[in-house]
Amino acid sequence: MTPVTYTVLRGRIKKRRFDPAYFFYGDNQFLIDELVQTITSAIVTPEFVSFDRSILHGDEITAEGILNAVETPPMASAKRVVVLSGVHKLSEKMRGILLDYLERPAPTTLLIVTAPKVKTNKGFYRKLTLRTTPVRLSNLNERDAVVWIRERVSSLGWSIDSEGARMLYNSIGSDQSYLANEIDKLTICAGEKTKITAGDVAAVAGKSRANSIFDLTDAIGRLDCHQSIALVNNLLAWGQRPSHILALILRHLLILLSLKCLKKRNASQAEMCRRFNLMPYYLGGYLRQSAMFTETVLRKRIRLIQLTEARLKSSHSAKTFELESLIYEMCMEDMNQHDQG
C-alpha cells in the first residue's frame, strides 16, 4: 500500500475514519508519538486509558503477550488501542505472528506498530505495509509545518495566523520538538491575549532567528567564514538535515537573483512579496542582500550548491565537511573577487 501522508491521516482522524492497523515509521519520532496520542485520545475513554490502551515493546514482547493485548476487547471505549513500538526489534518468530494477526485483525482493536526509518520495498516491512495503513513520518515541509503550528496553537486555546506561523517556521526550522517549545513560550508570553501575531513571534523567537538561514547567507555576504560555519553547525545541532540546509540556501539565493530582475523592471514590493510568498517583514532584508551581490556571483553560488548537493547524495560523503567546504569556497570566491577589484 502506498504510504499515507501526515496531512491526509490528520484529516481522516478529524473525520473519525480509522483503519484496523497502522504502521508509523520514519525519523520524526515527535510526530509518531503525537499521532499515537491523538488516535488514543480520539478512541479511548479518558478514564479507562489504563484498561483500554496497551503499550508493547518489540524487544520485550512475547507471543502470548501480543495476542492477549490485541484479542482483549475494550472495557469502556470505542476500541482498544494497542501500540507496538520498535517493531524492527521483533524476532523472526514474532514477526510471523504479527503478520498472521494482520491477515484478520480483531474488529474491536486498533493496532499501531512503529519503527524508525526502514526500507519498505522488500521482506517483512513490505508485507507489513501491505497489511496495514503505512504512514512515513519525516520532517514536515513548510506548508504542512504551518498547518501543524496553527493546529497546535489552536489546541492550546490560542490562535495564530499564517504569517505568524510561517515566521515561526522560518525562525526555528522544521524540528517539531523545537517548534513545540517555542509555541509554549509564545502562549506564556501572550498572557490574556487570545491571538498570537507575527510581532509576538519576532519578539519571542528573536534569539532563535539569529541561527536562521537568512543570517547564514548574510554572514557569507560579509565574507565572515568563521561565523558562517558556526551558523551551519547551529542549524545542524537544531536538527536541520544537511540536504534541507542546502535547499534553503538555494531557495534563498534564487530569490535574491529573481529580486534583482524584478528591481530592473521596477516591480512593486507587493508584487515581490506575492511572487515569492514572502512576508513584508522580511522583504527589506532580502532586497538589501540582493544588492550586495552581482548576478554573476549569485549564479556561481547556485552552481556550487548544485555540485555540493550531488556530492551529498553519495553515502561516502561526510555531510558536515561538504557543507563547511561549500561555505569556505563561497567566502574565498568573494575575497578573490574583492582582491581583483
Side-chain angles (χ1 to χ4, degrees), residues 46-307:
E47 296 81 6
F48 289 85
V49 169
S50 58
F51 298 99
D52 291 341
R53 182 194 64 182
S54 294
I55 299 179
L56 313 174
H57 302 281
D59 56 348
E60 300 174 356
I61 191 63
T62 63
E64 182 181 7
I66 189 171
L67 291 176
N68 282 342
V70 295
E71 292 175 356
T72 300
M75 181 176 291
S77 303
K79 283 190 176 185
R80 180 177 179 80
V81 173
V82 177
V83 182
L84 175 56
S85 64
V87 71
H88 60 295
K89 297 180 180 179
L90 288 176
S91 65
E92 288 299 319
K93 176 183 176 181
M94 290 303 303
R95 291 182 177 191
I97 291 173
L98 175 62
L99 292 175
D100 287 344
Y101 165 78
L102 290 171
E103 287 285 357
R104 286 190 295 179
T108 57
T109 295
L110 186 151
L111 175 64
I112 303 172
V113 296
T114 74
K117 188 176 181 180
V118 294
K119 294 182 179 180
T120 59
N121 59 344
K122 60 182 179 180
F124 167 68
Y125 296 112
R126 174 170 171 74
K127 294 176 182 177
L128 193 57
T129 60
L130 293 174
R131 301 179 193 186
T132 62
T133 298
V135 186
R136 184 172 55 201
L137 295 163
S138 56
N139 284 345
L140 299 178
N141 58 34
E142 180 175 349
R143 182 184 62 184
D144 290 341
V146 167
V147 173
W148 180 88
I149 290 168
R150 298 191 70 185
E151 288 183 348
R152 188 171 184 87
V153 171
S154 177
S155 71
L156 296 173
W158 281 264
S159 66
I160 184 171
D161 58 21
S162 295
E163 182 179 1
R166 190 172 293 110
M167 180 182 289
L168 184 60
Y169 173 84
N170 288 331
S171 299
I172 304 302
S174 58
D175 189 298
Q176 265 77 38
S177 60
Y178 289 114
L179 285 169
N181 286 336
E182 290 300 315
I183 289 171
D184 289 341
K185 293 179 188 177
L186 284 167
T187 57
I188 292 171
C189 294
E192 296 182 358
K193 291 172 55 178
T194 58
K195 183 175 182 179
I196 295 171
T197 66
D200 297 325
V201 174
V204 173
K207 291 183 179 179
S208 302
R209 200 161 57 85
N211 292 326
S212 71
I213 206 71
F214 191 92
D215 293 285
L216 171 58
T217 55
D218 203 33
I220 295 172
R222 297 194 310 270
L223 309 182
D224 191 339
C225 191
H226 177 76
Q227 177 67 7
S228 299
I229 290 176
L231 286 167
V232 165
N233 288 324
N234 281 341
L235 287 165
L236 290 169
W238 276 50
Q240 294 280 15
R241 298 190 304 274
S243 59
H244 185 59
I245 294 173
L246 273 183
L248 289 173
I249 297 175
L250 179 59
R251 176 180 181 272
H252 190 91
L253 294 182
L254 288 171
I255 290 175
L256 297 185
L257 182 60
S258 299
L259 284 175
K260 295 186 80 69
C261 298
L262 289 174
K263 283 278 289 182
K264 285 181 179 179
R265 62 180 185 83
N266 297 319
S268 67
Q269 292 194 0
E271 181 182 350
M272 293 177 184
C273 289
R274 185 171 59 253
R275 178 72 65 88
F276 303 108
N277 197 25
L278 292 176
M279 293 174 287
Y281 179 89
Y282 285 128
L283 181 60
Y286 274 101
L287 290 173
R288 175 179 57 79
Q289 283 195 1
S290 179
M292 290 168 58
F293 310 113
T294 66
E295 288 188 24
T296 300
V297 168
L298 289 173
R299 293 185 189 281
K300 284 184 176 180
R301 288 185 171 186
I302 289 169
R303 178 57 180 162
L304 285 174
I305 292 171
Q306 291 170 338
L307 292 173

